[in-house]
Amino acid sequence: MLLPDGRQVPDLPLDRAVVDRCRALADQVTAQVLEFVGRHSTVSIERTVLRLYGLHDAGPRGVPLVNLAVDALHEKRLLGRGAAYWMGYALRRGATDPMGVVERLVALPSSPEPLPEAEERAMLEEMRREARANVDELRARVRRRDALRDELGVGPRPHKYLIVATGNIHDDVEQALAAAQSGADVIAVIRSTAQSLLDYVPHGATTEGYGGTYATQENFRIMREALDDESRRLRRYVHLTNYSSGLCMPEIAFAAAWERLDMLLNDAMYGILFRDINMKRTLCDQYFSRRICALADVVINTGEDNYITTADADEAAHTVIASQFVNESFAHRAGLPDRLIGLGHSFEIDPAREDTVAREFAQALLVRTLFPEAPIKYMPPTKHKQGDIFFSHAYDVMADVVGYVTGQGIQLLGMMTEAMHNPFLMDRYVALKSADYVYRAWRSMGAEITFRPDGMVQRRAQETLREALALLEEVARDGLFRAIGKARFGDVAREEDGGKGLAGVLERGPRYFNPFLEIMEAR
Amino acid sequence: MRPRDWEPGQIVRPYGDRRDDGVVQLSFVLPVPPGERAREAAAELARKMGMDQVHVASMEPAAEQYTFFVVYGRTSVSVDYAALSVPEVVVRKKGFDELNEYALREVGRRMVVIGACTGSDAHAVGIDAIMNMKGFAGDYGLERYACFEAANLGAQVENAQLARVCKEREADAVLVSQVVTQRDVHKENARQLLRELERLGIRGRVTAILGGPRIDHRLAVELGYDAGFGPGTRPSEVANFIVGAVLKRMGKEMH
């Protein structure tokens, strides 16, 4: 099969009718969820709206202004009208700066005196105008990012994705530049442990974090600017990614879009299953954050690879595929084109078994063939990694080969010290050097290899697709909420009203006002 | 008792190509560009570590100001194998699969573990790291263990409610996380849970575990808990402790 970017991968014949049926079922699954999403908002969505209007700062004791404002509105049960409405109201009532807006919102009575009809109309129009201006400014920033990328060009696919995670943004910069110099195409700054469970975005540059570095707008700015300079020096554009997940999914999407990040991990299913975040909350948040990604041309990465770090990678292969169809449909419904949908999967079958490479080829090629235009993100092994770094290195190289030959879009490079500590500078170097060797050595093999019809690889891929179809039939029948309740993904069960963040979900009132959503949905 | 796998007076050294040749390999990065000075720095470092016949096998630029080295050398030091003092391990810590299998066999059912961050404390980071599927630092959380039925009630859970849940669900263990320690609020709050468990008559049936950045085993025991875990604790340590404690209540010992 010839990929849109010109690479050739081995052909995998699939039953068109089965594939079409999978897509139709996934659309049924997401339609049910979107019906819920369309009637609700969340505190994090409303905070994002205020951020889009320019409320970036934090108040006394470091609490973000948007949290002060939205918490006050939510407490008074006013948020169903939309934070944008009340911001406009506060401006009409004399607020002149962000702090003034917040003070007025905090001081609102529980049933504020309505604005005169004509004034209200004028206010809504003004807020819409302001929203359009801010969206234009955001788009201009994105165009600057794209212009630099076009001017400098990018490395060959799959893009080599490397992680930094020192806890200190300034040390992260040093490590990121070193990785870029030795060939990294994408830098991911891992977040501090459990940031996903904070219901606010920390403010400013941070130098302390455990297991990673806080995602803050200022940290994003610092890293992107450093990478801009380095990209110019290297004459090769280096991408930056972070994590739009957890309780502040849409706010992080906004901060990342504004600071010109290129990609974001963005997957409600990950939060639901692995962070126990309430499903209603995070599916609403996911929709709005994906709308922002569509607006800002940010590639999303989904987290299906995580299912097979809990469940057995071979037995649960079909759950990855089924979830990818669902995630693709969610992404389409949020306005993301295929070129921005970086579906995730990984090389995780237990290496103690036989014929694992055939089965990994089957899976990787199946994903590639089902989603030919998507910049598929391929993850290296993690679950079966141990302290023997020499074996781990060989194991990672095997994943590089499968990823390269099957034409993946983004290759997260495995670290030989996975399962021991955050990557060292030399771990990244060794991984990059070996990946470059794989890319050189296997350069034309994707076009040379033909898998035997009815051989192990083709049969396994077709079998997985059939199982994915059966699972999608079940999920479409039960609904996504109930399917998750039955532990259909990652062997983890979560309840519809369980988990963190449900208190931050609210029904949109009949006159809900969100001009950014209006703009994004009309695009 | 196992036959001894060592001889009195036995001396050991690394084995590369021949017995007692003392060969070791080393890799590291120096924050300098490659060159003869860098090569000498790497060799000198190895010599200072006690190696001789040092050979810098590889010197490569890992980035513009960083050089990656692979160094071989021979160490002249050795170890008197018989004279090593190795403390007797009382409870061997079991791996994930081994613990699950062992606990299900010996206890004969899944153990119920309830976790919460109690009182006004909203810092669920610690309890989440121990309880959640994902775990912490590559070490799976208790939810992931087949031998546990683990429920994380999250933050700001009232002691009375937590005790009630322990009774209703016939909990084998309760995990309490306390992060906020201003004016010793955590001590009173921690004691209150034990009083609630006693009031419901289930204190003896539940292993009570306290955790948090300012908690240690001694403090937890002083407060009346069965164990305390401080910062950096892995879920697997807590898992092993719970299995041992439940078996102890059954009159068995964990092997």
Side-chain angles (χ1 to χ4, degrees):
Chain A
M1 179 174 67
L2 183 67
L3 297 179
D5 59 19
R7 288 180 296 163
Q8 186 90 39
V9 299
D11 288 323
L12 178 65
L14 295 172
D15 184 340
R16 237 323 103 192
V18 173
V19 177
D20 291 345
R21 176 79 184 142
C22 284
R23 282 213 160 80
L25 289 165
D27 277 341
Q28 277 180 40
V29 170
T30 59
Q32 296 166 22
V33 175
L34 263 284
E35 192 274 327
F36 178 88
V37 169
R39 289 187 289 111
H40 292 81
S41 184
T42 69
V43 288
S44 32
I45 291 173
E46 298 305 320
R47 293 196 300 254
T48 310
V49 168
L50 296 183
R51 284 182 186 273
L52 279 158
Y53 275 121
L55 264 65
H56 295 309
D57 287 338
R61 291 178 298 124
V63 182
L65 294 186
V66 295
N67 282 70
L68 293 173
V70 168
D71 286 353
L73 292 171
H74 195 34
E75 211 166 281
K76 291 172 199 143
R77 311 179 64 84
L78 294 174
L79 212 45
R81 193 81 196 258
Y85 178 86
W86 295 112
M87 183 178 172
Y89 184 95
L91 290 169
R92 284 275 152 176
R93 290 295 157 104
T96 51
D97 61 1
M99 203 57 221
V101 168
V102 173
E103 277 163 8
R104 268 162 209 279
L105 294 182
V106 170
L108 278 180
S110 49
S111 23
E113 187 195 334
L115 290 175
E117 207 179 306
E119 190 181 357
E120 181 173 292
R121 245 196 330 272
M123 181 274 276
L124 296 180
E125 214 23 70
E126 200 178 298
M127 292 306 283
R128 286 195 172 98
R129 208 164 38 240
E130 179 74 13
R132 278 194 298 274
N134 289 3
V135 164
D136 288 345
E137 190 177 345
L138 175 64
R139 291 284 307 161
R141 294 176 74 95
V142 170
R143 275 195 300 278
R144 246 171 63 208
R145 178 199 69 193
D146 294 351
L148 183 64
R149 188 166 59 200
D150 293 345
E151 177 200 330
L152 298 175
V154 298
R157 297 268 182 183
H159 283 161
K160 294 175 286 251
Y161 177 122
L162 276 294
I163 284 168
V164 299
T166 69
N168 178 329
I169 187 62
H170 307 294
D171 292 335
D172 285 343
V173 165
E174 193 174 341
Q175 300 252 342
L177 299 188
Q181 288 160 13
S182 44
D185 296 302
V186 183
I187 299 295
V189 182
I190 298 290
R191 293 200 296 181
S192 183
T193 296
Q195 185 180 352
S196 56
L197 304 180
L198 298 180
D199 213 337
Y200 64 93
V201 180
H203 187 72
T206 67
T207 53
E208 302 251 0
Y210 198 89
T213 307
Y214 286 102
T216 73
Q217 189 168 345
E218 179 63 6
N219 286 349
F220 289 177
R221 188 192 64 76
I222 291 169
M223 182 61 88
R224 185 60 263 173
E225 287 194 354
L227 289 178
D228 280 353
D229 293 344
E230 195 62 24
S231 298
R232 285 194 190 93
R233 244 170 40 78
L234 297 170
R235 303 300 301 166
R236 174 172 51 87
Y237 185 79
V238 182
H239 305 75
L240 177 61
T241 184
N242 208 287
Y243 297 77
S244 164
S245 57
L247 291 172
C248 295
M249 204 183 233
E251 288 177 272
I252 297 207
F254 160 74
W258 191 260
E259 300 303 340
R260 300 176 288 114
L261 269 65
D262 304 275
M263 298 199 310
L264 283 172
L265 195 109
N266 179 274
D267 193 345
M269 293 290 281
Y270 174 79
I272 296 167
L273 299 175
F274 298 97
R275 290 299 190 184
D276 196 14
I277 291 173
N278 175 264
M279 56 182 86
K280 291 173 175 169
R281 165 73 178 265
T282 193
L283 284 162
C284 288
D285 285 348
Q286 174 177 276
Y287 174 73
F288 197 62
S289 57
R290 287 189 179 182
R291 279 280 173 204
I292 294 173
C293 290
L295 181 69
D297 258 6
V298 171
V299 172
I300 62 158
N301 296 163
T302 64
E304 279 85 358
D305 48 283
N306 289 285
Y307 302 168
I308 50 181
T309 59
T310 37
D312 180 275
D314 205 36
E315 288 167 15
H318 65 289
T319 67
V320 170
I321 305 295
S323 174
Q324 287 173 333
F325 278 117
V326 172
N327 245 326
E328 177 195 51
S329 173
F330 273 134
H332 284 161
R333 288 184 187 278
L336 285 159
D338 287 351
R339 68 181 169 81
L340 297 179
I341 307 174
L343 299 167
H345 66 135
S346 63
F347 184 100
E348 274 293 13
I349 302 175
D350 185 351
R353 298 180 196 161
E354 288 181 334
D355 278 327
T356 55
V357 167
R359 298 173 88 80
E360 296 285 13
F361 260 114
Q363 182 77 355
L365 201 53
L366 175 60
V367 174
R368 179 70 287 174
T369 309
L370 290 171
F371 309 99
E373 311 230 351
I376 302 294
K377 181 185 176 206
Y378 198 45
M379 300 284 286
T382 56
K383 184 184 184 177
H384 299 284
K385 281 275 180 73
Q386 286 175 1
D388 174 359
I389 58 170
F390 302 102
F391 177 80
S392 285
H393 187 55
Y395 188 17
D396 284 333
V397 169
M398 205 73 91
D400 290 348
V401 171
V402 172
Y404 187 79
V405 174
T406 57
Q408 306 297 316
I410 301 152
Q411 181 100 19
L412 200 149
L413 297 191
M415 293 290 115
M416 58 161 117
T417 54
E418 173 82 36
M420 279 190 277
H421 48 68
N422 287 342
F424 286 173
L425 201 144
M426 60 188 174
D427 303 338
R428 287 191 210 96
Y429 167 69
V430 170
L432 280 160
K433 182 179 173 186
S434 307
D436 285 340
Y437 166 52
V438 168
Y439 286 23
R440 278 195 308 279
W442 287 83
R443 192 168 184 285
S444 305
M445 289 299 281
E448 292 295 320
I449 294 174
T450 309
F451 289 110
R452 246 165 9 94
D454 218 29
M456 194 185 291
V457 172
Q458 292 202 2
R459 270 188 294 122
R460 171 61 184 163
Q462 286 149 1
E463 172 189 54
T464 303
L465 180 61
R466 277 196 305 277
E467 288 172 8
L469 174 63
L471 177 56
L472 282 166
E473 297 275 9
E474 185 190 332
V475 176
R477 198 171 55 239
D478 287 352
L480 185 62
F481 293 170
R482 275 188 59 203
I484 295 171
K486 286 160 75 180
R488 287 296 175 261
F489 300 98
D491 279 354
V492 183
R494 297 296 184 197
E495 312 222 340
E496 194 172 325
D497 288 324
K500 301 169 192 76
L502 180 62
V505 180
L506 56 123
E507 256 184 80
R508 294 186 195 172
R511 288 186 295 162
Y512 177 69
F513 181 60
N514 183 342
F516 292 99
L517 197 57
E518 290 173 11
I519 295 169
M520 294 191 287
E521 287 184 339
R523 282 177 91 234
Chain B
M1 198 178 145
R2 279 191 310 147
R4 272 208 317 243
D5 54 3
W6 44 269
E7 300 296 327
Q10 187 184 348
I11 300 297
V12 292
R13 285 201 177 85
Y15 186 128
D17 180 41
R18 279 190 202 158
R19 181 169 293 273
D20 289 342
D21 59 13
V23 173
V24 293
Q25 59 198 16
L26 200 60
S27 63
F28 53 89
V29 166
L30 292 179
V32 294
E36 284 320 298
R37 184 170 286 273
R39 183 191 301 278
E40 186 49 30
E44 183 63 13
L45 264 170
R47 283 193 287 270
K48 283 189 168 173
M49 289 181 203
M51 289 158 66
D52 51 30
Q53 297 184 49
V54 170
H55 171 54
V56 177
S58 183
M59 172 174 74
E60 303 185 22
E64 282 164 19
Q65 293 298 319
Y66 300 93
T67 305
F68 173 60
F69 295 94
V70 177
V71 177
Y72 281 83
R74 293 173 188 238
T75 176
S76 53
V77 302
S78 60
V79 169
D80 181 344
Y81 202 56
L84 294 171
S85 149
V86 184
E88 199 69 28
V89 180
V90 184
V91 179
R92 191 165 65 90
K93 195 178 143 186
K94 296 181 191 299
F96 181 78
D97 291 336
E98 193 191 356
L99 184 69
N100 277 317
E101 195 184 312
Y102 173 81
L104 288 170
R105 189 177 63 238
E106 293 297 319
V107 180
R109 60 182 172 81
R110 297 181 78 196
M111 286 159 280
V112 177
V113 180
I114 310 291
C117 203
T118 58
S120 59
D121 204 333
H123 300 77
V125 175
I127 196 71
D128 288 334
I130 301 297
M131 297 292 287
N132 284 7
M133 195 59 78
K134 168 101 181 172
F136 163 63
D139 198 275
Y140 297 149
L142 301 190
E143 284 186 341
R144 189 106 147 220
Y145 284 77
C147 68
F148 296 128
E149 190 183 311
N152 183 358
L153 305 188
Q156 296 185 320
V157 177
E158 291 303 326
N159 283 307
Q161 188 208 341
L162 178 57
R164 237 181 359 258
V165 172
C166 288
K167 183 171 184 178
E168 278 163 20
R169 300 189 57 171
E170 299 182 13
D172 293 283
V174 59
L175 268 58
V176 176
S177 172
Q178 293 284 273
V179 176
V180 175
T181 52
Q182 263 171 342
R183 294 190 299 278
D184 280 346
V185 60
H186 61 303
K187 292 187 184 170
E188 182 43 37
N189 192 36
R191 284 197 197 96
Q192 200 195 353
L193 173 69
L194 299 184
R195 283 200 295 273
E196 292 290 340
L197 292 174
E198 261 153 29
R199 202 170 59 77
L200 299 179
I202 56 169
R203 174 65 187 94
R205 301 209 308 255
V206 185
T207 298
I209 299 172
L210 192 61
R214 298 288 187 77
I215 306 291
D216 58 27
H217 186 59
R218 181 205 302 261
L219 171 66
V221 171
E222 266 172 31
L223 294 172
Y225 280 72
D226 295 290
F229 290 97
T233 300
R234 305 291 166 104
S236 56
E237 295 167 39
V238 180
N240 275 272
F241 179 82
I242 294 171
V243 173
V246 171
L247 285 173
K248 206 163 156 192
R249 273 209 304 279
M250 295 168 67
K252 294 184 179 182
E253 200 164 309
M254 185 161 167
H255 298 292

